[in-house]
Amino acid sequence: MGLLLACMAIFGSCNRSANKTTTETTMKDSITYGHLPADSAFEKIIDGKQTHLFTLKNKNGMVLTITNFGGRMVNLLVPDSAGKMIDVSVGLGSVDAYIKSTERYYGGTIGRYGNRIAKGHFSLDGKKYTLAINNAPNTLHGGKKGYQDVVWDAKKINDQTLELTYLSKDMEEGFPGNLKIKVTYSLTDDNSFKCEYEATTDKTTVVNLTNHAYFNLNGEGSGPILNHLVRFNADNYTPVDSTLIPTGKIEPVKGTPFDFTKATTIGARINDANEQLKNGKGYDHNFVLNKHDMSTPVAMVKGDKTGIVMEIYTEEPGLQFYSGNFMQNKNIMKYGEKDDYRTAFAMETQHFPDSPNQPQFPSTVLKPGQVYKTMSLYKFKTK
């Protein structure tokens, strides 16, 4: 049963002292310097479990850091068109900063259900389940304490692979079933960030796992993302109501500001007079991906200053494109800049929002004896 995605960031390993990495490179224009946070900033006991910062590195020098607090991507250093390393992951510099952040999801592994469930309830096998309302009037990203706020068990498989595991207990945040989850994050030698998700349950439940990485392909702190070029392999999307719950319809993007079938900048139409843009305060919508497999990219994004191109591959049927509309200049990020309005974007591979209440959408139901398994991949290159 293939479900989400999105790479979801993020692993751990119980001993990182031998893997400490420091990378400093000069970035062009207004782009900040890239360096890895101190390990000590990510050492903390939370809910009786130890948090760490883990470093993965491929043969090309691409670097990914992840904390097992929330399975969060912290840094992602990739080469630009001049060969300089750019930190394209927008995030915070310590565990304490993530705990205090007014934005809960930076880089986090999201579950049990990524995206929204209408009015915090759904029914399975004739029984109604009630969830916490944390994005009134709906449940968002698993509830008040989603997987981005738990401490995952971490095992570093090798220099390029981290495995995270977590037991989400029966009725945690209102969801039925003990859900055993394994998330494997890895860096490949073709400069891809690969996210593999697997889960089993002992009761019928719903599952929609993803990663909420915030990206700026010009580098964290480089300013707005409105001049990034975007292309989607998606002829349709799911329009939403004023609370960002899908209306149930699947509508064509042609002739609307949601048509990214040809490469278009994020900012080209984001301020158009359009009801859907008004509802999302910009882009915050699920795109219905055309038929695809892992050999075909479903999305492409290009940074205008660096020439960095990110291609997304996934087994999921949907992609949530979020243009940073709720960033409020309230949090100080890794390099000292604040999280200004629309200075990052997210592209979360997923099943559709509110699928448990909308049977016409692809199912997110997982039953005992079944294995939830899905993969997404973010590949970086320059053109």
Side-chain angles (χ1 to χ4, degrees):
M1 163 179 184
L3 290 160
L4 267 98
L5 79 200
C7 309
M8 306 205 131
I10 316 172
F11 343 124
S13 159
C14 295
N15 183 357
R16 185 172 172 269
S17 59
N19 301 296
K20 181 167 180 167
T21 303
T22 300
T23 302
E24 276 200 358
T25 56
T26 303
M27 300 180 185
K28 60 186 178 182
D29 297 329
S30 62
I31 299 169
T32 50
Y33 298 98
H35 64 276
L36 303 186
D39 291 4
S40 58
F42 286 85
E43 301 285 333
K44 194 177 182 72
I45 302 293
I46 299 175
D47 297 332
K49 298 178 74 173
Q50 181 68 53
T51 65
H52 301 277
L53 184 68
F54 305 96
T55 299
L56 303 180
K57 187 173 183 179
N58 73 3
K59 68 178 184 181
N60 305 315
M62 183 175 171
V63 177
L64 169 69
T65 68
I66 295 164
T67 174
N68 61 323
F69 175 60
R72 295 174 183 268
M73 175 194 291
V74 179
N75 301 83
L76 184 60
L77 301 182
V78 302
D80 71 359
S81 56
K84 298 174 182 177
M85 300 303 287
I86 305 295
D87 191 349
V88 299
S89 172
V90 176
L92 301 161
S94 69
V95 166
D96 285 338
Y98 281 108
I99 292 171
K100 295 173 183 176
S101 175
T102 59
E103 164 51 58
R104 303 303 311 142
Y105 306 113
Y106 281 121
T109 299
I110 303 298
R112 178 173 305 194
Y113 197 94
N115 221 303
R116 293 172 174 82
I117 295 178
K119 299 179 181 178
H121 63 72
F122 64 94
S123 295
L124 275 178
D125 296 336
K127 183 176 180 180
K128 184 175 180 179
Y129 293 93
T130 300
L131 314 172
I133 303 298
N134 65 323
N135 184 244
N138 306 312
T139 300
L140 175 63
H141 293 329
K144 291 185 177 179
K145 188 176 181 180
Y147 297 166
Q148 80 283 347
D149 285 330
V150 304
V151 180
W152 294 69
D153 294 319
K155 180 181 179 181
K156 192 166 183 181
I157 306 301
N158 54 49
D159 288 346
Q160 295 177 220
T161 307
L162 184 66
E163 179 182 285
L164 297 176
T165 56
Y166 178 66
L167 173 62
S168 180
K169 293 184 178 179
D170 183 33
M171 299 312 295
E172 181 177 316
E173 293 295 318
F175 292 94
N178 291 296
L179 190 72
K180 294 182 179 179
I181 310 162
K182 180 173 73 173
V183 178
T184 305
Y185 293 111
S186 57
L187 288 181
T188 68
D189 284 333
D190 67 351
N191 285 0
S192 295
F193 167 47
K194 182 163 70 172
C195 312
E196 298 171 275
Y197 305 91
E198 187 172 320
T200 58
T201 183
D202 60 1
K203 289 183 182 178
T204 301
T205 190
V206 294
V207 186
N208 194 25
L209 304 179
T210 192
N211 179 266
H212 209 309
Y214 278 69
F215 294 107
N216 185 322
L217 300 187
N218 293 329
E220 180 186 302
S222 64
I225 43 80
L226 297 179
N227 288 326
H228 281 53
L229 276 175
V230 171
R231 184 177 68 244
F232 294 148
N233 183 18
D235 294 331
N236 298 283
Y237 79 115
T238 52
V240 295
D241 64 19
S242 62
T243 72
L244 298 180
I245 293 294
T247 63
K249 297 179 180 179
I250 293 177
E251 295 188 351
V253 299
K254 188 174 181 179
T256 77
F258 295 84
D259 188 352
F260 287 94
T261 55
K262 294 182 180 179
T264 307
T265 62
I266 294 173
R269 300 161 301 188
I270 199 168
N271 295 316
D272 284 7
N274 175 276
E275 182 181 9
Q276 285 300 307
L277 290 175
K278 179 180 178 182
N279 288 346
K281 302 186 187 306
Y283 295 106
D284 195 3
H285 295 74
N286 171 64
F287 286 76
V288 179
L289 299 173
N290 297 344
K291 185 177 180 180
H292 63 281
D293 56 31
M294 287 299 291
S295 67
T296 306
V298 298
M300 180 282 298
V301 189
K302 182 178 182 181
D304 56 293
K305 296 180 181 179
T306 61
I308 292 172
V309 174
M310 180 175 75
E311 294 179 339
I312 302 174
Y313 301 76
T314 186
E315 295 177 335
E316 290 302 301
L319 181 73
Q320 186 81 9
F321 172 36
Y322 169 59
S323 53
N325 315 313
F326 300 101
M327 300 177 77
Q328 299 178 2
N329 194 36
K330 291 184 177 180
N331 302 291
I332 298 175
M333 311 311 285
K334 298 191 298 286
Y335 303 116
E337 301 291 332
K338 288 193 173 182
D339 52 350
D340 290 339
Y341 183 57
R342 293 177 176 166
T343 53
F345 66 90
M347 291 197 178
E348 304 147 73
T349 56
Q350 62 177 13
H351 270 54
F352 302 171
D354 199 38
S355 290
N357 294 311
Q358 307 215 27
Q360 73 276 27
F361 289 168
S363 176
T364 55
V365 173
L366 181 68
K367 296 179 178 291
Q370 296 178 331
V371 178
Y372 169 98
K373 197 169 185 179
T374 187
M375 182 193 307
S376 294
L377 185 146
Y378 298 76
K379 183 177 182 179
F380 294 88
K381 57 187 182 180
T382 57
K383 284 185 180 179

